[in-house]
Structures are given as structure tokens and as C-alpha cells.
Amino acid sequence: MGNYYQQDIETMAPEGLRAIQSERLLKQVRHAYDNVAYYREMMDKKGVSPDDIKSLDDLHKLPFLTKADLREAYPYGLLAKPLSECVRIQSTSGTTGKRVVVFYTAHDVDIWEQCCARAIMAVGGTKEDVVQVCYGYGLFTGGAGLHGGSHKVGSLTLPMSSGNTERQIQFMQDLGSTIICCTPSYAAYIGETLKEMGISPDDIQLKAGIFGAEPWTEEMRRDVEKSLGLKAYDIYGLTEMCGPGVAFECEAQGGMHINEDYFIPEIIDPDTGEVLPEGAKGELVFTTLDKEAFPLLRYRTRDICVLHREKCACGRTLIKMAKPMGRSDDMLIIRGVNVFPSQIETVLLEQGYTPNYRIEVDRAGNNDTLDIYVELTSEQFSDTVRAIEQKEKQLAAAMKTMLGINPKMHLVPPKSIARSEGKAVRVVDKRKLHD
Ligand code: ADP
Ligand code: ZN
């Protein structure tokens, strides 16, 4: 039998879940409308009142909310509870612009931590485990979320935060960490450091990793599983909803179950706003169902993704989302062609390179240029100059096949590309500087 934190919810029949969602949706909409002027205005403008929302089927009547709305409402404009009822603030990483702050009541923190506890138990976590949390602590939600979840499971929690990689490894060994939580790019860096320190994955006790907060590929998953000797699981979330734990992967490692009792997902066409059927690729939209301080209705995440409901080997009935392939605003349009950084990562790892790379886009005259810098290992670097040039050509050809355009490849010496301890910054779009 599976390992669940809240088995009744996680394995509930779809009709039961829909009933919970409908019931909570009505309350959440009423709460937002009654307590947030911003919502009242938006809904009045669209001619929809809380009375028009009678069940899940009426969700589409509500207006969308965007990140621009959140920035405009900064800091208190969307707050639905008096500040005296709030106990916590967290903030987005600001990956794509000004940070957004969100507020939590004690109840909001509790449901967020429940979501993270479900994620930990889904990878086999129990109170016997030692959970090393090396997501950043602070305003960023990564550390706080998994930390709270680990407490709820009853695991021994190591609040390491990110950075100081050798110390991470020391504690991992001394205290026998069995589950590690961090960004996939930091996991790769820890794996690399382990090797440099001459420690084999067999010398540590990690069995599972919960990696998220940024896009990563299946190739990266295999890479990290090998270098750390564990099973790597995805976790998804965004500060606006709560933080990590909106969706989590189970032992099937085939997409993330969304905590549908707290968040309703939809996929829309990002250009028209039309709701797309299950299985279609589009922008992920979420509606919170049980948030007190910061209810968000139909929030457009800008993450590009696919939803599918299927019978899962783990016994969970919660709908699954595929690995987001990146945000709509991560997508680069180069010479008119859509390029996702994750496609580049796939090619690199398939061809036996490290996940240490940087993508630079610029403009020369009227032409876009794409330069990809890839770090070589010391073994790869010991090749002759000619052999390295040859490899650059091969790699450019493989990229051309994947992307449809020809990049300029640069194979660079070991350690010349900065490592990431949190969310990796791999793309530099210099065209923006000229605009
Ligand atoms: P910011 O939007 O400033 O980065 P957050 O720290 O709240 O702020 O990050 C949330 C975003 O991180 C998501 O909208 C998504 O783009 C990305 N993300 C989180 N988890 C994953 C994941 N498992 N796979 C891909 N992207 C993810
Ligand atoms: Zn499952």
C-alpha cells in the first residue's frame, strides 16, 4: 500500500473530490469578493457576482488574475484578512521582475505544510527519515515549505538552507540524511562536489530527492539520480499559491499530482484565454480553494504545461500535471523560432555533457544570435583543440535538429561557468539591452 499523509483525500473518488471543490469554490469566491476591493471591481466589471458561481462548472465565468495585477496591488491590495490575523509573509524569487509578496494566516501556513507533507510521504518519507532541506530559507518559499512538511511527517529535519556545499555533504554523512530537498541545479552541484571529494554515492544514505522550483529535464533527473545515488522526484509550486507542494511526484515518477482539494487547475490558450481540454498543452491557471489571507481566483501562472487524469500506480486519484517545460516568458524567440532552454539541456545531457551551461542571445545587425557555452569536464578538456572543435560542430548539428536553428557552440574549460545554489540563471538575453 502507498505511503500517504492524507489517504482519504489523496485517493478519493473523483466525484467526491469535485463535490469538495465545488463547495469550497463558492466560499472562496464569496470571501474574495466580500473582502478584497480589487476582486469586487474586476468581477463587477465582468458582470459576474458570487451568486453566479454555483459549482465548479461556473469557474470559467470568473475573470483571470495576472502577475501584473499582483504587482499593481502590491503590497496589500489583494489581502483578504486584517494584518492582525496574518502570521507570515513570503515573497517570490523575482525571476521575471519585481517581487510579489504574499500573506498567510496560521491556517494558510497549515494547509501549505500539509501539501508538503503529502509530497514527502509520496517519496516514501516517514518519521524514521532524516530530511535535509537545502532550499533557501528566508523570503523564498522553498526552505519554509519543505521544513514545515517534514515536521508534519515527523521526520528529523535538518534546516541547512542552501550554500556551503561541503558542509552539506559533511552533515549528510554524519547525520545520515535519507531525503534531500533542493533545486535540481543545486542537486547537480552537490553531486559534482561529492565526486570531487572522492565520496561515492554508496557512502551516503540518501534514498530520495525532492527537487523543484525551476524547470529540469528527464535527462537531468537521470544524471542526478546517478551522482547522488537516489530516486529524484519533482515538486512544483509558486509563492502566489503558497509555495512548493501545489503538486508533487509519487513513486511512479510520471508527472505531479496536484493537491486538488486546495487548488483547481485549468489549462488555457495563453493568447485567447480559452479553456483547453484535458491533455492539451497551454498555460496553467490555478484557483485557490481554502486560502484566508491571499485567495487567488484563476491566477495565470505563465507556466506551460499539460494536465492528465489517469489511474496512477501509487493509488492517488489527484490529477497530474506534466513537468512544466518552462514559462511562457522563458521561451526565447530566436530568428522567429520558439526555443525553450529545456530543449537545449536535453541535447547537452543526451550527448554526455554536464548541466553546466549558459545561453546567450543577442542581435547582430538585424539577426538574432544564439551562443551556447558548455563546460567540459577535465577529461573532456584534455582532448586536442581539433577534437574539441569537432565536438562543437557535432553538438551544433544536434542542436539544429532539436531547435531548428543553428547555434554557435562554445566548449569551455572546467569550472568556468558559475554553479547555482538556488534557482539557476542560465539565459542571458542581451537583445533586451538594445531595445
Ligand atoms: P518566481 O516566479 O519569482 O520565480 P517563485 O519562487 O514563486 O517565484 O517560483 C515559482 C515558479 O517556479 C513557478 O511559476 C514555475 O515557473 C517555477 N517552478 C516551480 N517548480 C517547478 C518545477 N518543478 N518545474 C518547473 N518549474 C517550476
Ligand atoms: Zn501517483
Side-chain angles (χ1 to χ4, degrees), residues 322-361:
K323 233 177 210 322
M325 58 184 307
R327 313 185 206 223
S328 48
D329 36 3
D330 283 344
M331 189 183 79
L332 297 159
I333 302 180
I334 306 172
R335 290 172 227 150
V337 176
N338 298 349
V339 173
F340 276 97
S342 55
Q343 297 174 301
I344 294 175
E345 183 175 295
T346 296
V347 174
L348 291 179
L349 295 182
E350 267 177 357
Q351 305 273 326
Y353 293 91
T354 64
N356 300 314
Y357 60 93
R358 193 175 71 245
I359 301 166
E360 272 185 29
V361 190

Side-chain angles (χ1 to χ4, degrees), residues 67 92-95 213-215 234-235 237-239 303 324 327 423:
K67 196 137 186 162
T92 61
S93 312
T95 312
E214 63 184 5
D234 206 351
I235 185 166
L238 61 166
T239 312
D303 290 324
R327 313 185 206 223
K423 292 193 190 226

